[in-house]
Amino acid sequence: MNPKCGFCQGTSFKLVAPTMGIQGATFKMQFVVCAKCNAAITVLSYYDPGVVAKHTEDKVDVALSQLSSLNSELHAINANIGAVMSAIRQLK
């Protein structure tokens, strides 16, 4: 069974990105429209959710790695401060 346009009974469709924003939409959308009469059949997210999730995951991984490095550096600084404070106490 082939899908048909509810308006003109066309059986060919195309993907169209709107040239202006959609009121109330919080992210970019695209439409599947009838190739014959341009009636909107459905609305889809412009961005593939899987790709967006993977990109976000990659950014989180980088941030976690940077935080881990920063944490190591802070521990080293803390150890150095402790050594300096100990040396100062011994001078008194």
Side-chain angles (χ1 to χ4, degrees):
M1 182 172 159
N2 290 334
K4 290 184 180 180
C5 173
F7 295 96
C8 73
Q9 304 305 308
T11 57
S12 183
F13 304 94
K14 60 185 177 180
L15 199 56
V16 177
T19 56
M20 61 178 67
I22 300 170
Q23 185 176 0
T26 56
F27 51 92
K28 197 171 180 179
M29 307 294 280
Q30 58 188 355
F31 297 93
V32 174
V33 300
C34 175
K36 186 175 177 183
C37 73
N38 286 321
I41 305 302
T42 192
V43 180
L44 303 170
S45 172
Y46 184 81
Y47 301 102
D48 181 342
V51 172
V52 172
K54 177 64 176 139
H55 185 69
T56 302
E57 179 183 6
D58 291 346
K59 285 184 174 184
V60 169
D61 287 345
V62 168
L64 287 174
S65 177
Q66 291 172 337
L67 285 172
S68 179
S69 294
L70 182 59
N71 191 41
S72 295
E73 290 177 27
L74 287 173
H75 281 294
I77 290 170
N78 190 39
N80 287 337
I81 289 173
V84 168
M85 294 301 291
S86 179
I88 291 172
R89 281 189 212 104
Q90 288 178 0
L91 291 176
K92 288 183 180 183

Coordinates of all heavy atoms in Angstrom, one line a residue:
M1 N 0.8 -1.2 0.0 CA 0.0 0.0 0.0 C 0.9 1.2 0.0 O 1.7 1.4 0.8 CB -0.9 0.0 1.2 CG -1.8 1.1 1.3 SD -3.0 0.9 2.7 CE -3.5 2.5 2.9
N2 N 0.7 2.1 -0.9 CA 1.5 3.4 -1.0 C 0.7 4.5 -0.3 O -0.5 4.6 -0.5 CB 1.7 3.8 -2.5 CG 2.6 2.8 -3.2 OD1 3.5 2.2 -2.6 ND2 2.5 2.7 -4.5
P3 N 1.4 5.3 0.4 CA 0.8 6.5 1.0 C 0.3 7.5 0.0 O 0.9 7.6 -1.1 CB 1.9 7.1 1.9 CG 3.2 6.6 1.4 CD 2.9 5.3 0.7
K4 N -0.8 8.1 0.3 CA -1.4 9.1 -0.7 C -1.6 10.4 0.1 O -2.0 10.4 1.3 CB -2.7 8.6 -1.2 CG -2.6 7.5 -2.2 CD -3.9 7.1 -2.8 CE -3.7 5.9 -3.8 NZ -5.0 5.6 -4.4
C5 N -1.5 11.5 -0.7 CA -1.9 12.8 -0.1 C -3.4 12.9 0.1 O -4.2 12.5 -0.7 CB -1.4 13.9 -1.1 SG -2.0 15.6 -0.7
G6 N -3.7 13.4 1.3 CA -5.1 13.5 1.6 C -5.9 14.6 0.9 O -7.1 14.6 0.9
F7 N -5.1 15.4 0.2 CA -5.8 16.5 -0.6 C -5.9 16.2 -2.1 O -7.0 16.4 -2.6 CB -5.0 17.8 -0.4 CG -5.0 18.3 1.0 CD1 -4.0 18.0 1.9 CD2 -6.1 19.1 1.5 CE1 -4.0 18.4 3.2 CE2 -6.1 19.5 2.8 CZ -5.0 19.2 3.7
C8 N -4.8 15.7 -2.7 CA -4.9 15.5 -4.1 C -4.7 14.1 -4.6 O -4.6 13.8 -5.7 CB -3.8 16.4 -4.8 SG -2.1 15.9 -4.6
Q9 N -4.5 13.2 -3.6 CA -4.2 11.8 -3.8 C -2.9 11.5 -4.5 O -2.6 10.4 -5.0 CB -5.4 11.2 -4.6 CG -6.7 11.3 -4.0 CD -6.8 10.8 -2.6 OE1 -6.4 9.7 -2.3 NE2 -7.3 11.6 -1.7
G10 N -2.0 12.5 -4.5 CA -0.6 12.3 -5.0 C 0.1 11.3 -4.2 O -0.1 11.1 -3.0
T11 N 1.1 10.6 -4.8 CA 1.8 9.6 -4.2 C 3.3 9.9 -4.1 O 4.1 9.0 -3.8 CB 1.6 8.2 -4.9 OG1 2.0 8.4 -6.3 CG2 0.2 7.8 -4.8
S12 N 3.7 11.1 -4.5 CA 5.1 11.5 -4.4 C 5.3 12.6 -3.4 O 4.5 13.5 -3.4 CB 5.5 12.0 -5.8 OG 6.9 12.3 -5.8
F13 N 6.3 12.5 -2.6 CA 6.5 13.5 -1.5 C 7.9 14.0 -1.5 O 8.8 13.4 -2.1 CB 6.2 12.8 -0.2 CG 4.8 12.2 -0.1 CD1 4.6 10.9 -0.5 CD2 3.8 13.0 0.2 CE1 3.4 10.3 -0.4 CE2 2.5 12.4 0.2 CZ 2.3 11.1 -0.1
K14 N 8.1 15.2 -0.9 CA 9.5 15.8 -0.8 C 9.7 16.4 0.6 O 8.7 16.6 1.3 CB 9.7 16.8 -1.9 CG 8.7 18.0 -1.8 CD 8.9 18.9 -3.0 CE 7.8 20.0 -3.0 NZ 8.0 20.9 -4.1
L15 N 10.9 16.5 1.0 CA 11.3 17.1 2.3 C 11.6 18.6 2.1 O 12.4 19.0 1.2 CB 12.5 16.4 2.8 CG 12.8 16.5 4.3 CD1 11.7 16.0 5.1 CD2 14.1 15.7 4.6
V16 N 11.0 19.5 2.9 CA 11.1 20.9 2.7 C 11.4 21.5 4.1 O 10.7 21.3 5.0 CB 9.8 21.5 2.1 CG1 9.9 23.0 2.0 CG2 9.5 20.9 0.8
A17 N 12.4 22.4 4.1 CA 12.7 23.2 5.3 C 12.1 24.5 5.1 O 12.2 25.2 4.1 CB 14.2 23.3 5.5
P18 N 11.3 25.0 6.1 CA 10.7 26.3 6.0 C 11.7 27.4 5.9 O 12.8 27.3 6.5 CB 9.8 26.4 7.3 CG 10.4 25.5 8.2 CD 11.1 24.4 7.4
T19 N 11.3 28.5 5.2 CA 12.2 29.6 5.0 C 12.1 30.6 6.2 O 13.0 31.4 6.3 CB 11.9 30.4 3.7 OG1 10.6 30.8 3.7 CG2 12.2 29.5 2.5
M20 N 11.1 30.5 7.0 CA 11.0 31.3 8.1 C 10.7 30.4 9.3 O 10.3 29.3 9.2 CB 9.8 32.3 7.9 CG 8.5 31.7 7.7 SD 7.2 33.0 7.6 CE 7.6 33.7 6.0
G21 N 10.8 30.9 10.5 CA 10.6 30.2 11.7 C 9.2 29.8 11.9 O 8.3 30.4 11.3
I22 N 9.0 28.8 12.7 CA 7.6 28.3 13.0 C 7.3 28.9 14.4 O 8.0 28.6 15.4 CB 7.5 26.8 13.0 CG1 7.9 26.2 11.6 CG2 6.2 26.3 13.4 CD1 8.1 24.8 11.6
Q23 N 6.2 29.6 14.5 CA 5.8 30.2 15.8 C 5.6 29.2 16.8 O 4.9 28.2 16.6 CB 4.5 31.0 15.6 CG 4.1 31.8 16.8 CD 2.9 32.7 16.6 OE1 2.3 32.7 15.6 NE2 2.5 33.4 17.7
G24 N 6.3 29.3 18.0 CA 6.2 28.4 19.1 C 7.1 27.3 19.1 O 7.3 26.5 20.0
A25 N 7.8 27.1 17.9 CA 8.8 26.0 17.9 C 10.1 26.4 18.6 O 10.5 27.5 18.5 CB 9.1 25.7 16.4
T26 N 10.6 25.4 19.4 CA 11.8 25.7 20.1 C 13.1 25.2 19.4 O 14.2 25.4 19.9 CB 11.8 25.0 21.5 OG1 11.5 23.6 21.4 CG2 10.7 25.7 22.3
F27 N 12.9 24.5 18.3 CA 14.0 24.0 17.5 C 13.6 24.0 16.0 O 12.4 24.0 15.7 CB 14.6 22.7 18.0 CG 13.5 21.6 18.1 CD1 13.2 20.8 17.1 CD2 12.8 21.5 19.3 CE1 12.2 19.8 17.2 CE2 11.9 20.5 19.5 CZ 11.6 19.7 18.5
K28 N 14.5 23.9 15.1 CA 14.3 23.9 13.7 C 13.5 22.7 13.2 O 13.8 21.6 13.7 CB 15.6 24.0 13.0 CG 15.5 24.4 11.5 CD 16.9 24.7 11.0 CE 16.9 25.2 9.6 NZ 18.2 25.5 9.0
M29 N 12.6 22.8 12.3 CA 11.7 21.7 11.8 C 11.8 21.7 10.3 O 12.3 22.6 9.7 CB 10.3 22.0 12.2 CG 10.0 22.3 13.7 SD 10.4 20.9 14.7 CE 8.9 19.9 14.5
Q30 N 11.4 20.6 9.8 CA 11.2 20.4 8.3 C 9.9 19.7 8.0 O 9.4 19.0 8.9 CB 12.4 19.7 7.7 CG 12.7 18.3 8.3 CD 14.0 17.7 7.8 OE1 14.7 18.3 7.0 NE2 14.4 16.6 8.3
F31 N 9.4 19.8 6.8 CA 8.1 19.2 6.5 C 8.3 18.2 5.4 O 9.1 18.3 4.5 CB 7.2 20.3 5.9 CG 6.9 21.3 6.9 CD1 7.6 22.5 7.0 CD2 5.8 21.2 7.8 CE1 7.3 23.5 7.9 CE2 5.5 22.2 8.7 CZ 6.2 23.3 8.8
V32 N 7.5 17.1 5.5 CA 7.3 16.2 4.3 C 6.0 16.8 3.7 O 4.9 16.9 4.3 CB 7.0 14.8 4.8 CG1 6.7 13.9 3.6 CG2 8.3 14.2 5.5
V33 N 6.1 17.1 2.4 CA 5.0 17.7 1.7 C 4.7 16.9 0.4 O 5.6 16.2 -0.1 CB 5.2 19.2 1.3 CG1 5.4 20.0 2.6 CG2 6.4 19.4 0.4
C34 N 3.5 17.0 -0.1 CA 3.1 16.4 -1.3 C 3.9 17.1 -2.5 O 3.9 18.3 -2.5 CB 1.6 16.5 -1.5 SG 1.0 15.9 -3.1
A35 N 4.5 16.3 -3.3 CA 5.2 16.9 -4.5 C 4.3 17.5 -5.5 O 4.7 18.4 -6.2 CB 6.1 15.8 -5.1
K36 N 3.1 17.1 -5.5 CA 2.1 17.6 -6.5 C 1.4 18.9 -6.0 O 1.4 19.9 -6.8 CB 1.1 16.5 -6.8 CG 0.1 16.9 -7.9 CD -0.8 15.7 -8.1 CE -1.8 16.0 -9.2 NZ -2.8 14.8 -9.4
C37 N 0.9 18.9 -4.8 CA 0.1 20.1 -4.3 C 0.8 20.9 -3.2 O 0.3 21.9 -2.7 CB -1.3 19.7 -4.0 SG -1.4 18.8 -2.4
N38 N 1.9 20.4 -2.7 CA 2.7 21.0 -1.6 C 1.9 21.0 -0.2 O 2.3 21.7 0.7 CB 3.1 22.4 -1.9 CG 4.3 22.4 -2.9 OD1 5.2 21.6 -2.8 ND2 4.2 23.3 -3.8
A39 N 0.9 20.1 -0.1 CA 0.2 20.0 1.2 C 1.2 19.4 2.2 O 1.9 18.4 1.9 CB -1.0 19.2 1.1
A40 N 1.3 19.9 3.4 CA 2.1 19.4 4.5 C 1.5 18.0 4.9 O 0.3 17.9 5.2 CB 2.2 20.3 5.6
I41 N 2.3 17.0 4.9 CA 1.9 15.7 5.4 C 2.3 15.4 6.8 O 1.5 14.9 7.6 CB 2.5 14.6 4.4 CG1 2.2 14.9 3.0 CG2 2.1 13.2 4.9 CD1 0.7 14.9 2.6
T42 N 3.5 15.8 7.2 CA 4.0 15.6 8.5 C 5.1 16.6 8.8 O 5.7 17.2 7.9 CB 4.4 14.2 8.8 OG1 4.6 14.0 10.2 CG2 5.7 13.8 8.1
V43 N 5.5 16.8 10.1 CA 6.6 17.6 10.5 C 7.6 16.8 11.2 O 7.3 15.9 12.0 CB 6.1 18.7 11.4 CG1 7.2 19.6 11.9 CG2 5.0 19.5 10.8
L44 N 8.9 17.0 10.8 CA 10.0 16.3 11.4 C 11.0 17.2 12.0 O 11.1 18.4 11.6 CB 10.7 15.4 10.4 CG 9.9 14.4 9.6 CD1 10.7 13.9 8.4 CD2 9.4 13.3 10.5
S45 N 11.8 16.7 13.0 CA 12.9 17.5 13.5 C 13.9 17.7 12.4 O 14.2 16.8 11.7 CB 13.5 16.8 14.7 OG 14.7 17.4 15.1
Y46 N 14.5 18.9 12.3 CA 15.5 19.1 11.3 C 16.8 18.4 11.6 O 17.5 17.9 10.7 CB 15.8 20.6 11.2 CG 16.7 21.1 10.2 CD1 16.3 21.2 8.8 CD2 18.1 21.3 10.4 CE1 17.2 21.6 7.8 CE2 19.0 21.7 9.4 CZ 18.5 21.8 8.1 OH 19.4 22.2 7.1
Y47 N 17.1 18.3 12.9 CA 18.3 17.6 13.3 C 18.0 16.2 13.7 O 17.0 15.9 14.4 CB 19.0 18.4 14.5 CG 19.3 19.8 14.1 CD1 18.5 20.9 14.5 CD2 20.4 20.1 13.3 CE1 18.8 22.2 14.1 CE2 20.7 21.4 12.9 CZ 19.9 22.4 13.4 OH 20.3 23.7 13.0
D48 N 18.9 15.3 13.4 CA 18.7 13.9 13.8 C 19.0 13.8 15.3 O 20.1 14.1 15.7 CB 19.7 13.0 13.0 CG 19.6 11.5 13.3 OD1 19.1 11.2 14.4 OD2 20.1 10.7 12.5
P49 N 18.0 13.4 16.1 CA 18.2 13.3 17.5 C 19.4 12.4 17.9 O 20.1 12.8 18.9 CB 16.9 12.7 18.0 CG 15.9 13.0 17.0 CD 16.7 13.0 15.7
G50 N 19.7 11.4 17.2 CA 20.8 10.5 17.5 C 22.1 11.2 17.3 O 23.1 11.1 18.2
V51 N 22.2 12.0 16.3 CA 23.5 12.7 16.0 C 23.6 13.8 17.1 O 24.8 14.0 17.6 CB 23.5 13.3 14.6 CG1 24.6 14.3 14.4 CG2 23.4 12.2 13.5
V52 N 22.6 14.5 17.4 CA 22.6 15.6 18.4 C 23.0 15.0 19.8 O 23.9 15.5 20.5 CB 21.3 16.3 18.5 CG1 21.3 17.3 19.7 CG2 21.0 17.1 17.2
A53 N 22.5 13.8 20.1 CA 22.8 13.2 21.4 C 24.3 12.8 21.4 O 25.0 13.0 22.4 CB 21.9 12.0 21.6
K54 N 24.8 12.2 20.3 CA 26.2 11.8 20.2 C 27.1 13.0 20.4 O 28.1 13.0 21.1 CB 26.5 11.1 18.9 CG 27.9 10.6 18.7 CD 28.4 9.6 19.8 CE 29.8 9.2 19.5 NZ 30.6 9.1 20.6
H55 N 26.8 14.1 19.7 CA 27.6 15.3 19.7 C 27.6 15.9 21.2 O 28.7 16.3 21.7 CB 27.0 16.4 18.8 CG 27.8 17.6 18.6 ND1 29.0 17.6 18.0 CD2 27.6 18.9 19.0 CE1 29.5 18.9 18.1 NE2 28.6 19.6 18.7
T56 N 26.5 15.8 21.8 CA 26.4 16.3 23.2 C 27.2 15.4 24.1 O 27.9 15.9 25.0 CB 24.9 16.4 23.7 OG1 24.2 17.2 22.8 CG2 24.8 16.9 25.1
E57 N 27.1 14.1 23.9 CA 27.9 13.1 24.7 C 29.4 13.4 24.5 O 30.1 13.3 25.5 CB 27.5 11.7 24.2 CG 28.3 10.6 25.0 CD 28.0 9.2 24.5 OE1 27.3 9.1 23.5 OE2 28.5 8.3 25.1
D58 N 29.8 13.6 23.3 CA 31.2 13.9 23.1 C 31.7 15.2 23.8 O 32.8 15.2 24.4 CB 31.5 14.1 21.6 CG 31.4 12.8 20.8 OD1 31.3 11.7 21.4 OD2 31.3 12.9 19.5
K59 N 30.8 16.2 23.8 CA 31.2 17.4 24.6 C 31.2 17.2 26.1 O 32.1 17.7 26.8 CB 30.1 18.5 24.3 CG 30.3 19.2 22.9 CD 29.3 20.3 22.8 CE 29.5 21.0 21.5 NZ 28.6 22.2 21.3
V60 N 30.3 16.4 26.6 CA 30.3 16.0 28.0 C 31.6 15.2 28.4 O 32.2 15.5 29.4 CB 29.1 15.2 28.4 CG1 29.2 14.6 29.8 CG2 27.8 16.1 28.3
D61 N 32.0 14.3 27.5 CA 33.2 13.5 27.7 C 34.4 14.4 27.8 O 35.3 14.3 28.6 CB 33.4 12.5 26.6 CG 32.4 11.3 26.8 OD1 31.8 11.2 27.8 OD2 32.3 10.6 25.8
V62 N 34.5 15.4 26.9 CA 35.6 16.4 26.9 C 35.6 17.2 28.2 O 36.7 17.4 28.8 CB 35.6 17.3 25.7 CG1 36.6 18.5 25.8 CG2 35.9 16.5 24.4
A63 N 34.5 17.6 28.6 CA 34.3 18.4 29.8 C 34.7 17.6 31.0 O 35.5 18.1 31.9 CB 32.9 19.0 30.0
L64 N 34.3 16.3 31.1 CA 34.7 15.5 32.2 C 36.2 15.2 32.3 O 36.8 15.2 33.3 CB 34.0 14.1 32.1 CG 32.5 14.2 32.4 CD1 31.8 12.8 32.2 CD2 32.2 14.6 33.9
S65 N 36.8 15.1 31.1 CA 38.3 14.9 31.0 C 39.0 16.1 31.5 O 40.0 16.0 32.3 CB 38.7 14.6 29.6 OG 40.1 14.5 29.5
Q66 N 38.5 17.3 31.1 CA 39.1 18.5 31.6 C 38.9 18.7 33.1 O 39.9 19.2 33.7 CB 38.5 19.7 30.8 CG 38.9 19.7 29.3 CD 38.2 20.8 28.5 OE1 37.1 21.2 28.9 NE2 38.7 21.2 27.4
L67 N 37.8 18.4 33.6 CA 37.5 18.5 35.0 C 38.4 17.5 35.8 O 39.0 17.9 36.9 CB 36.1 18.2 35.4 CG 35.1 19.3 35.0 CD1 33.7 18.8 35.2 CD2 35.4 20.5 35.9
S68 N 38.7 16.3 35.3 CA 39.5 15.4 35.9 C 41.0 15.9 36.0 O 41.7 15.8 37.0 CB 39.5 14.1 35.2 OG 40.4 13.1 35.8
S69 N 41.4 16.5 34.9 CA 42.8 17.1 34.8 C 42.9 18.3 35.8 O 43.9 18.4 36.5 CB 43.1 17.6 33.4 OG 43.2 16.5 32.5
L70 N 41.9 19.1 35.8 CA 41.8 20.2 36.8 C 41.9 19.7 38.2 O 42.6 20.3 39.1 CB 40.6 21.1 36.5 CG 40.4 22.3 37.4 CD1 41.6 23.3 37.2 CD2 39.1 23.0 37.0
N71 N 41.1 18.7 38.5 CA 41.1 18.1 39.8 C 42.5 17.6 40.3 O 42.9 17.9 41.4 CB 40.1 17.0 39.9 CG 39.8 16.5 41.3 OD1 39.7 17.4 42.2 ND2 39.7 15.2 41.5
S72 N 43.2 17.0 39.3 CA 44.6 16.5 39.6 C 45.5 17.7 39.9 O 46.3 17.6 40.8 CB 45.1 15.7 38.4 OG 44.3 14.5 38.2
E73 N 45.4 18.7 39.1 CA 46.2 19.9 39.3 C 45.9 20.6 40.6 O 46.8 21.0 41.3 CB 46.0 20.9 38.1 CG 46.6 20.4 36.8 CD 46.3 21.4 35.7 OE1 46.1 22.6 35.9 OE2 46.2 20.9 34.5
L74 N 44.6 20.6 41.0 CA 44.3 21.2 42.3 C 44.8 20.4 43.5 O 45.3 21.0 44.5 CB 42.8 21.4 42.4 CG 42.1 22.5 41.6 CD1 40.6 22.4 41.7 CD2 42.6 23.8 42.0
H75 N 44.8 19.1 43.3 CA 45.4 18.3 44.4 C 46.9 18.5 44.5 O 47.5 18.6 45.6 CB 45.2 16.8 44.1 CG 43.8 16.3 44.5 ND1 43.3 16.3 45.8 CD2 42.8 15.9 43.7 CE1 42.1 15.9 45.8 NE2 41.7 15.6 44.6
A76 N 47.6 18.7 43.4 CA 49.0 19.0 43.4 C 49.3 20.3 44.0 O 50.2 20.5 44.8 CB 49.6 18.9 41.9
I77 N 48.5 21.3 43.7 CA 48.7 22.7 44.2 C 48.4 22.6 45.7 O 49.2 23.2 46.5 CB 47.7 23.7 43.6 CG1 48.1 23.9 42.1 CG2 47.6 25.0 44.4 CD1 47.1 24.7 41.3
N78 N 47.4 21.9 46.2 CA 47.1 21.7 47.6 C 48.3 21.1 48.3 O 48.6 21.5 49.4 CB 45.8 20.9 47.8 CG 45.3 20.9 49.2 OD1 45.4 22.0 49.9 ND2 44.8 19.8 49.7
A79 N 48.9 20.0 47.7 CA 50.0 19.4 48.3 C 51.2 20.3 48.4 O 51.9 20.4 49.5 CB 50.4 18.1 47.5
N80 N 51.4 21.1 47.4 CA 52.5 22.1 47.4 C 52.3 23.2 48.5 O 53.2 23.6 49.2 CB 52.7 22.8 46.1 CG 53.3 21.8 45.1 OD1 54.0 20.9 45.4 ND2 53.1 22.1 43.8
I81 N 51.0 23.6 48.6 CA 50.7 24.6 49.7 C 50.9 24.0 51.1 O 51.5 24.7 52.0 CB 49.3 25.1 49.5 CG1 49.1 26.0 48.3 CG2 48.8 25.9 50.8 CD1 47.7 26.4 47.9
G82 N 50.6 22.8 51.2 CA 50.8 22.1 52.5 C 52.3 22.0 52.8 O 52.7 22.2 54.0
A83 N 53.1 21.7 51.8 CA 54.5 21.6 52.0 C 55.1 23.0 52.4 O 56.0 23.1 53.3 CB 55.2 21.1 50.8
V84 N 54.7 24.0 51.7 CA 55.1 25.4 52.0 C 54.7 25.8 53.4 O 55.5 26.3 54.2 CB 54.6 26.4 51.0 CG1 54.8 27.8 51.4 CG2 55.2 26.2 49.6
M85 N 53.5 25.5 53.8 CA 53.0 25.8 55.2 C 53.8 25.1 56.2 O 54.1 25.6 57.3 CB 51.5 25.5 55.3 CG 50.6 26.3 54.4 SD 50.7 28.1 54.8 CE 50.0 28.2 56.4
S86 N 54.1 23.8 55.9 CA 54.9 23.0 56.9 C 56.3 23.6 57.0 O 56.8 23.7 58.1 CB 55.0 21.6 56.4 OG 55.8 20.8 57.2
A87 N 56.9 24.1 55.9 CA 58.2 24.7 56.0 C 58.2 26.0 56.7 O 59.1 26.3 57.5 CB 58.7 24.9 54.5
I88 N 57.1 26.8 56.6 CA 57.0 28.0 57.3 C 56.9 27.8 58.8 O 57.5 28.4 59.6 CB 55.8 28.8 56.8 CG1 56.1 29.4 55.4 CG2 55.4 30.0 57.7 CD1 54.9 30.0 54.7
R89 N 56.1 26.7 59.1 CA 56.0 26.4 60.6 C 57.3 26.0 61.2 O 57.6 26.3 62.4 CB 54.9 25.3 60.7 CG 53.5 25.7 60.7 CD 52.5 24.6 61.0 NE 51.3 24.8 60.3 CZ 51.0 24.1 59.2 NH1 51.7 23.1 58.8 NH2 49.9 24.4 58.6
Q90 N 58.1 25.3 60.4 CA 59.4 24.9 60.9 C 60.4 26.0 61.1 O 61.3 26.0 61.9 CB 60.0 23.8 60.0 CG 59.3 22.5 60.0 CD 59.9 21.5 59.1 OE1 60.9 21.8 58.3 NE2 59.4 20.3 59.1
L91 N 60.2 27.1 60.4 CA 61.0 28.3 60.5 C 60.8 29.1 61.7 O 61.6 29.9 62.2 CB 60.9 29.2 59.3 CG 61.4 28.7 57.9 CD1 61.0 29.6 56.8 CD2 62.9 28.4 58.0
K92 N 59.6 28.9 62.3 CA 59.2 29.7 63.5 C 59.9 29.3 64.7 O 60.4 28.4 65.2 CB 57.7 29.6 63.7 CG 56.9 30.4 62.7 CD 55.5 30.3 63.0 CE 54.6 31.0 62.0 NZ 53.2 31.1 62.3

